[in-house]
Every structure is written in structure tokens, then in C-alpha cells.
């Protein structure tokens, strides 16, 4: 019996990656990183989160025993196909612009009867001891927009306003290190250490970055949502903590998602 | 109870290509938590794959394999509708078996 | 000094914290200033203090405010000059006049990104994380490119008093030379201690430092 085996071994791949950098300096460094990324593409554990989220979507939940099939993400109750590509959007029932995660929490509280504290218990998971329902649900919903073009309704006045506020936030310098989002994401071809930085001030940069979240982070062994991405950027910016689902988090998401308009959604992706 | 595996089995020419994602922590036993306490080892040790009840792959794994491992392999033969069954057993003697149909 | 336009309207929004539902009542306010004010108020209600990272971190000084306002666009020369002059005046020098410390310690500081994040231990010394943005010692291959390469900083500029003084000033407050620079103001914000700045200066200007080989 002829059997060929290939294992995606993150630890081993990382070691090989480091060694290959040692061997290949300068311009070829980028090529080596590209090879490493390619090696990760084939088996994306994000699918494990998508599967868990899909199962959760259909099961009656909370004190009211209501499933997410009643949850309207903007395209009608229970409709997930293409929903992520149009978020954030304005929801008249909540009188608020919401991103995916905020809307999921809203459905848990308003429809399923969960307390807000319960709905927000594990916003960001950490291993099997602290699993996040929200991350799994977000992975599933986002996966249902694969190949669909981003189309955030920037002509809707509430969304447009959040977009403009998000733009201001993007350039807002503060803290002990004078950092703004633009400090690291305002120029082409830059990197921190060896990590490439998308230039989010350009449409192509915003498109490439936004359409790949949520993403499975190999270095954490976790699937992360865009709320997590923003939260952790601000931590590194030396800012206080961005509250989950806060207006500022939605404004910045609206700005970046809006700038990604026109690009096909390509997540949940896999990242280092 | 461990999460289900995600299995794809596709006929490519005269071979069957199998791709499997497993949900597992794969703790090495080498890491320490924030309090400095060693996190106990917890990883898959055995993987067994059968095609119509015949073993086509048997593997012994160690702690070097990543969290949420991905395995891809091909075996000669197979036909659409055949069953491919995968079992893993970890060092806690926990195990999980899932099955897929060759497409 | 902040320009307050239609203070009544802005105050109302800040108090409520959710801008979207009220903004149209303020449509007559001059657009850009209004958006800046509301963005700031929104941030203050959306961030929460976490450990050492208190909400005071969101309060901007004049340099941060002006640089934010220009949002990546080129600064008018007069504005840039004003920022640089004001920042130059903030630079303090060691009482003993000694600007150069130990490059080996400087290398460690340049490697470390610890410090001032809410996830960091505030009792541990902060690093400068120079390698995140700059090439320095050629032995370190994992360097960023947001800032220019500093390889052979001292060797190219000459091992002079002027070079040493410039290195000190630049680390202390980079905005004194490049208004709205991306580089943190390590002395001005007390990110590094006086001795740490000396050590990083040494990494740049000591002829024995790997940076100058």
C-alpha cells in the first residue's frame, strides 16, 4: 500500500521558517514568508469553528429556547448567505449601527433571553477550557459570504456617520507612544519585525486585510474575529481597552469594511 | 467530548485523497501557564484510518504536532460511496471516530 | 487650544455617548471639527481603563492633536516648524552631561517591546522595541521597516559630539526634527529612563557596537 502523508505541524513549520530566513536574507525573506503562508492554506482549522457555529445556529438557545434562525442579520430572519458582506449596517429595531458580533449578542439578549453578561462571557476564547460561542458563530456566518463582494451601505446616513467617525479614529494619535492606527497602517510595503503591514489608507490594502477576517491564528490556535483584531491592535497601541461591541469598535469596523467595498469576501482565512 | 473531525475524501484518478482536520489542544507538556505551573501534556498519540474496514494509515504522533492538526494523504484505490473511517486516541485515552464518504 | 464650535450641540452628544441618533440635529455645525469632537467623545465612552492603561491615555497633547488633524496629509511648513520647535524645547539632558552608556544594555532595550501595554507588568523596565521598526545590528534579521535603517549610524555620521547629541535628542523626542514622526517620544513620555536612553545612544554611536561594524 503506497501512502503519502503530509502533516501541517505548526511548530515544525515555524522552526523551518526561522531556519530558512537565516539562509535567505533580504528580498527572498518575503518569498520564504509567502511559502510558509501557502503551506498553511490547505487545511484551515477555521473550518472547525465554522462547523461548531453552524450547529449552534440551528439549536434553540437561552431561557426563551429560540434559535438564531429568528436572528435578522439584515437580510431577513435567519438569512446568513451574504449577510457578513453587508455588515456593519443600521438596524432600526436596535436603533444602532451594528457589526456581526454586536448583532449576534443583540439576538442572544433580545430574542433568546440571555443576560448581556452571559452573552458576553467568552468574547475571545482561550483553548478548550474557555471556548467562545461568538467566535464560532462569527466564523460560520462569515463563511457564508465567501466569494460575495463587500457591500456596506455607505449611503445610509447612520452608517455613513459611523464611517466618518471611524476615519477620525484611524488617525487619532494618543497614549504614551503617540500611536494611531495610521502609524503602522498608513504606508505601503512596511513591516513590524518580519510581519507585513497592510496599508489601510489605500482601498486595495483595506480590501485585502478586511476580507480575510475572521481568521484562524496559527500562533494562538484560535479563530479570531474583527472585534478581536481591533481590541488587540489598541492594546499594542498602548491605549486603554476597547470595549467589545462599543460604538468606537463599530465605527472603526464600518470605516475599514466600507473601504473594502467591492472586494470579494475571502475569509475566514488562516494567518500566522 | 471532543469536537467532530472535518473530513474530505475525494477520488483523484485511481487514488483517494483524504484531508482531515482534528480539533485538539495538542499540549506538549513543556509549556507553563501564567502562574508558572507546567501545563500537563495532552496530545493525540494514535491515528488510524480504514477504507472499507481495511487499514490504510496508522500513525503514532507526539507533542510536536500542532494544535488542531491537519492531515492530508492519498491511498491507492477507493471508489465513490466508499467509507473512510478515522480514529484518534490521545494520551488521556480519550478518542474520537468519524466517518466520511468518498466523493 | 481646542476650538469649540456649537458647544451646546457637542456637549449633548458627548453626554449621551451614542452619536448616530443625534447627529442630524447638529447638521449645521462645521463638519470636520464636529466629527473630530464626536469621535473623541465616542472613544472616551468606548474604551475602558485596564490596569496601567487608563482613560487619560486618550487625552491628546497639542502635538498629537495637530498630527491627528492632518490625517496623514503633508503638514504646512509653518505648522511643522511650530511642532518641531515646541518639541525641541521639551528635551532634557543628563545633569552630568554624559550621553553615552553601555551598548550591550542598549541592544537589550532595542530588542524588548515590553512596557505600557495593559498586558505588561508595570514593575518591569520598558523596552524601546527599536527593532520593530528599524534595522540596527546586522546580526538581527528580524527587523521592521517603518523607520529607516540605522545600520552604521555612528560610523557614517562620525563619532562626534554632534552625532551623540543628535542621537540623544532624536530618542528623547523625535518630533523635534520631524513633525508628526511615527516614532514614539521616549524621553518626553518617560518611556525610557535617562540611563536607558544613554544605553540606546551607545548602541548607535559606540564604535564597538555591532551597529557600527
Amino acid at each position: 500500500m503506497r501512502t503519502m502523508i503530509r502533516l501541517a505541524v505548526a511548530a515544525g513549520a515555524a522552526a523551518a521558517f526561522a531556519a530558512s530566513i537565516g539562509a535567505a536574507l533580504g528580498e527572498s525573506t518575503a518569498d520564504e514568508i509567502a511559502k510558509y503562508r501557502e503551506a498553511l492554506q490547505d487545511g484551515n482549522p477555521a473550518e472547525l469553528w465554522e462547523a461548531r457555529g453552524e450547529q449552534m445556529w440551528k439549536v434553540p438557545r437561552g431561557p426563551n429556547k429560540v434559535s438564531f434562525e429568528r436572528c435578522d442579520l439584515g437580510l431577513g430572519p435567519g438569512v446568513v448567505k451574504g449577510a457578513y458582506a453587508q455588515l456593519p449596517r443600521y438596524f432600526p429595531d436596535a436603533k444602532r449601527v451594528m457589526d456581526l458580533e454586536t448583532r449576534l449578542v443583540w439576538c442572544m439578549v433580545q430574542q433568546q433571553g440571555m443576560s448581556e453578561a452571559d452573552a458576553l462571557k467568552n468574547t475571545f476564547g482561550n483553548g478548550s477550557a474557555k471556548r467562545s460561542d461568538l467566535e464560532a458563530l462569527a466564523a460560520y456566518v462569515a463563511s457564508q459570504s465567501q466569494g460575495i463582494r463587500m457591500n456596506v451601505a455607505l449611503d445610509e446616513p447612520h452608517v455613513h456617520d459611523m464611517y466618518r467617525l471611524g476615519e477620525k479614529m484611524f488617525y487619532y494619535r494618543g497614549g504614551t507612544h503617540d500611536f494611531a492606527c495610521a502609524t503602522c497602517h498608513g504606508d505601503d510595503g512596511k513591516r513590524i519585525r518580519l510581519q507585513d503591514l497592510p496599508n489601510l489608507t489605500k482601498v486595495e490594502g483595506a480590501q485585502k486585510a478586511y476580507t480575510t477576517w475572521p481568521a484562524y491564528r496559527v500562533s494562538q490556535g484560535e479563530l479570531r474575529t474583527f472585534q478581536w483584531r481591533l481590541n488587540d491592535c489598541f492594546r499594542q497601541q498602548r491605549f486603554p481597552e476597547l470595549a467589545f461591541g462599543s460604538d468606537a469598535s463599530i465605527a472603526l469596523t464600518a470605516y475599514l469594511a466600507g473601504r473594502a467595498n467591492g472586494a470579494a469576501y475571502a475569509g475566514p482565512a488562516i494567518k500566522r | 467530548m471532543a469536537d467532530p473531525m472535518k473530513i474530505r475524501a475525494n477520488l483523484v484518478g485511481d487514488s483517494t485523497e483524504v484531508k482531515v482536520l482534528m480539533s485538539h489542544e495538542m499540549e506538549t507538556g513543556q509549556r507553563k501557564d501564567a502562574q508558572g505551573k507546567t501545563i500537563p501534556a495532552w496530545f493525540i498519540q494514535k491515528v488510524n484510518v480504514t477504507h472499507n474496514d481495511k487499514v490504510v494509515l496508522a500513525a503514532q504522533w507526539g507533542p510536536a504536532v500542532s494544535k488542531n492538526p491537519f492531515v492530508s494523504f492519498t491511498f491507492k484505490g477507493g471508489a465513490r460511496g466508499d467509507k473512510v473511517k478515522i480514529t484518534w486516541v490521545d494520551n488521556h485515552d480519550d478518542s474520537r471516530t468519524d466517518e466520511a464518504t468518498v466523493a | 487650544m481646542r476650538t469649540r464650535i456649537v458647544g451646546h450641540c457637542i456637549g449633548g452628544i458627548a453626554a449621551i455617548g451614542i452619536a448616530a441618533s443625534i447627529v442630524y440635529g447638529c447638521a449645521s455645525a462645521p463638519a470636520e471639527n464636529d466629527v473630530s469632537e464626536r469621535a473623541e467623545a465616542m472613544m472616551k465612552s468606548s474604551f475602558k481603563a485596564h490596569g496601567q492603561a487608563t482613560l487619560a491615555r486618550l487625552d491628546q497633547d497639542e502635538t498629537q492633536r495637530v498630527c491627528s488633524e492632518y490625517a496623514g496629509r503633508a503638514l504646512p511648513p509653518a505648522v511643522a516648524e511650530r511642532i518641531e520647535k515646541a518639541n525641541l524645547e521639551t528635551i532634557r539632558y543628563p545633569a552630568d552631561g554624559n550621553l553615552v552608556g553601555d551598548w550591550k544594555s542598549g541592544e537589550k532595550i532595542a530588542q524588548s517591546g515590553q512596557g505600557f501595554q495593559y498586558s505588561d507588568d508595570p514593575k518591569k523596565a520598558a523596552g524601546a522595541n527599536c527593532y520593530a521598526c528599524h534595522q540596527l545590528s546586522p546580526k538581527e534579521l528580524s527587523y521592521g521597516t517603518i523607520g529607516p535603517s540605522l545600520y552604521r549610524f555612528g560610523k557614517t555620521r562620525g563619532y562626534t559630539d554632534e552625532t551623540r547629541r543628535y542621537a540623544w535628542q532624536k530618542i528623547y523626542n523625535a518630533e523635534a526634527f520631524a513633525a508628526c514622526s511615527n516614532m514614539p517620544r521616549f524621553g518626553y513620555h518617560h518611556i525610557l529612563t535617562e540611563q536607558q536612553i544613554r544605553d540606546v545612544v551607545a548602541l548607535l554611536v559606540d564604535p564597538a557596537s555591532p551597529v557600527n561594524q
Side-chain angles (χ1 to χ4, degrees):
Chain A
M1 183 69 47
R2 188 173 55 96
T3 310
M4 289 183 300
I5 308 174
R6 195 156 57 81
L7 300 179
V9 183
F17 170 58
S20 65
I21 284 170
L25 262 169
E27 275 140 46
S28 56
T29 305
D31 298 340
E32 294 303 311
I33 295 172
K35 269 191 220 160
Y36 168 69
R37 294 225 173 95
E38 204 183 304
L40 295 176
Q41 289 308 315
D42 209 6
N44 184 352
E47 288 183 28
L48 297 167
W49 272 257
E50 292 166 24
R52 190 155 65 86
E54 182 175 12
Q55 208 176 30
M56 242 182 275
W57 187 263
K58 294 164 184 163
V59 181
R61 294 163 54 94
N64 298 349
K65 301 265 182 288
V66 166
S67 83
F68 279 103
E69 285 162 315
R70 287 256 306 272
C71 181
D72 185 351
L73 299 175
L75 304 177
V79 178
V80 287
K81 186 92 188 153
Y84 190 65
Q86 295 189 23
L87 288 166
R89 70 189 301 145
Y90 179 71
F91 289 91
D93 54 7
K95 297 191 176 56
R96 209 182 155 202
V97 176
M98 292 171 149
D99 65 350
L100 172 60
E101 294 96 304
T102 323
R103 187 62 179 174
L104 291 170
V105 169
W106 189 87
C107 290
M108 289 182 193
V109 173
Q110 300 297 325
Q111 297 180 329
Q112 301 173 356
M114 289 170 76
S115 71
E116 194 160 282
D118 275 348
L120 291 171
K121 204 160 63 189
N122 288 334
T123 48
F124 308 136
N126 183 16
S128 55
K130 185 172 176 270
R131 303 215 296 181
S132 168
D133 289 357
L134 274 168
E135 285 173 340
L137 288 161
Y140 165 60
V141 173
S143 74
Q144 298 301 302
S145 284
Q146 265 163 27
I148 296 173
R149 289 190 187 282
M150 291 296 303
N151 185 19
V152 177
L154 296 178
D155 50 356
E156 198 286 323
H158 300 88
V159 176
H160 180 72
D161 191 53
M162 286 301 250
Y163 176 95
R164 291 187 66 199
L165 290 165
E167 182 176 25
K168 285 287 174 200
M169 275 183 73
F170 185 84
Y171 290 102
Y172 191 93
R173 293 177 65 140
T176 54
H177 286 55
D178 302 314
F179 290 150
C181 307
T183 306
C184 291
H185 297 291
D187 220 338
D188 287 338
K190 300 291 185 190
R191 45 174 229 243
I192 287 184
R193 292 280 183 163
L194 290 176
Q195 179 64 37
D196 289 328
L197 298 161
N199 179 358
L200 301 176
T201 65
K202 293 234 175 110
V203 166
E204 312 83 74
Q207 287 180 330
K208 213 175 144 193
Y210 190 82
T211 56
T212 49
W213 290 95
Y216 181 78
R217 286 291 297 266
V218 175
S219 54
Q220 303 179 22
E222 293 285 349
L223 180 125
R224 296 307 189 193
T225 63
F226 205 66
Q227 279 282 337
W228 177 87
R229 177 60 284 170
L230 295 182
N231 180 285
D232 207 53
C233 274
F234 281 113
R235 179 183 65 83
Q236 294 169 83
Q237 249 173 271
R238 273 74 179 173
F239 275 39
E241 185 173 357
L242 180 65
F244 192 90
S246 59
D247 282 339
S249 73
I250 293 166
L252 196 48
T253 302
Y255 173 61
L256 295 167
R259 290 183 69 72
N261 269 356
Y265 178 69
I270 185 165
K271 294 169 190 273
R272 64 165 179 102
Chain B
M1 186 62 194
D3 276 344
M5 287 176 243
K6 184 105 189 170
I7 308 170
R8 267 182 293 244
N10 289 302
L11 199 63
V12 181
D14 61 352
S15 296
T16 302
E17 186 182 51
V18 184
K19 292 180 175 179
V20 193
L21 271 167
M22 302 172 185
S23 178
H24 203 283
E25 286 295 310
M26 301 301 287
E27 267 304 336
T28 61
Q30 309 280 325
R31 299 198 310 152
K32 291 189 167 70
D33 65 14
Q35 281 74 47
K37 262 178 54 193
T38 301
I39 305 170
W42 182 25
F43 55 87
I44 294 172
Q45 282 185 311
K46 282 183 204 154
V47 179
N48 203 60
V49 184
T50 58
H51 163 235
N52 292 344
D53 297 326
K54 188 175 159 196
V55 176
V56 290
L57 180 138
Q60 293 185 347
W61 282 6
V65 176
S66 80
K67 184 171 176 175
N68 301 321
F70 171 68
V71 193
S72 168
F73 63 94
T74 56
F75 63 85
K76 233 177 173 138
R80 288 197 171 84
D82 283 1
K83 298 283 183 216
V84 172
K85 199 160 87 176
I86 304 177
T87 300
W88 59 250
V89 184
D90 68 19
N91 66 328
H92 291 177
D93 267 336
D94 193 5
S95 74
R96 167 104 214 165
T97 300
D98 290 285
E99 200 175 65
T101 306
V102 178
Chain C
M1 188 52 62
R2 181 72 37 83
T3 327
R4 284 218 164 250
I5 304 160
V6 279
H8 152 76
C9 203
I10 289 159
I13 289 163
I16 290 168
I18 297 171
S21 55
I22 323 155
V23 57
Y24 300 100
C26 291
S28 61
E32 278 310 303
N33 279 323
D34 177 49
V35 177
S36 294
E37 295 271 354
R38 287 193 297 118
E40 197 174 333
M42 183 182 69
M43 288 176 76
K44 287 186 173 158
S45 68
S46 292
F47 282 83
K48 50 187 185 189
H50 187 152
Q52 58 179 310
T54 65
L55 287 178
R57 298 238 178 130
L58 296 174
D59 294 331
Q60 294 177 313
D61 73 358
E62 181 66 8
T63 299
Q64 290 172 335
R65 191 186 62 76
V66 174
C67 292
S68 303
E69 212 169 85
Y70 281 92
R73 296 187 306 271
L75 297 176
V79 175
E81 203 181 309
R82 182 159 55 82
I83 290 175
E84 287 165 12
K85 188 164 172 281
N87 278 286
L88 190 61
E89 281 165 12
T90 70
I91 299 178
R92 300 286 171 270
Y93 303 88
D96 64 3
N98 181 14
L99 303 180
V100 185
D102 169 15
W103 68 260
K104 287 190 184 111
S105 156
E107 166 70 13
K108 285 188 194 123
I109 296 164
Q111 289 282 3
S112 166
Q114 124 86 29
F116 296 90
Q117 298 170 120
Y118 54 71
S119 51
D120 290 327
D121 180 354
K123 291 193 282 286
K124 283 189 191 153
N129 214 9
C130 310
Y131 283 103
C133 299
H134 295 283
Q135 181 184 33
L136 289 116
S137 164
K139 284 182 199 135
E140 179 52 83
L141 303 174
S142 174
Y143 61 86
T145 58
I146 293 173
S149 170
L150 302 175
Y151 178 46
R152 295 191 164 155
F153 182 93
K155 195 172 176 139
T156 2
R157 286 170 179 77
Y159 302 114
T160 63
D161 281 346
E162 260 169 25
T163 303
R164 290 186 275 270
R165 189 176 161 84
Y166 173 65
W168 177 276
Q169 291 174 316
K170 187 82 187 176
I171 296 164
Y172 197 99
N173 190 336
E175 303 257 3
F177 305 94
C180 303
S181 161
N182 287 327
M183 182 164 154
R185 293 172 285 176
F186 292 99
Y188 170 79
H189 281 302
H190 306 291
I191 298 167
L192 300 179
T193 64
E194 197 173 81
Q195 185 55 42
Q196 283 183 305
I197 300 178
R198 276 196 193 101
D199 294 342
V200 180
V201 169
L203 182 66
L204 294 171
V205 305
D206 190 325
S209 159
V211 168
N212 293 316
Q213 303 315 305

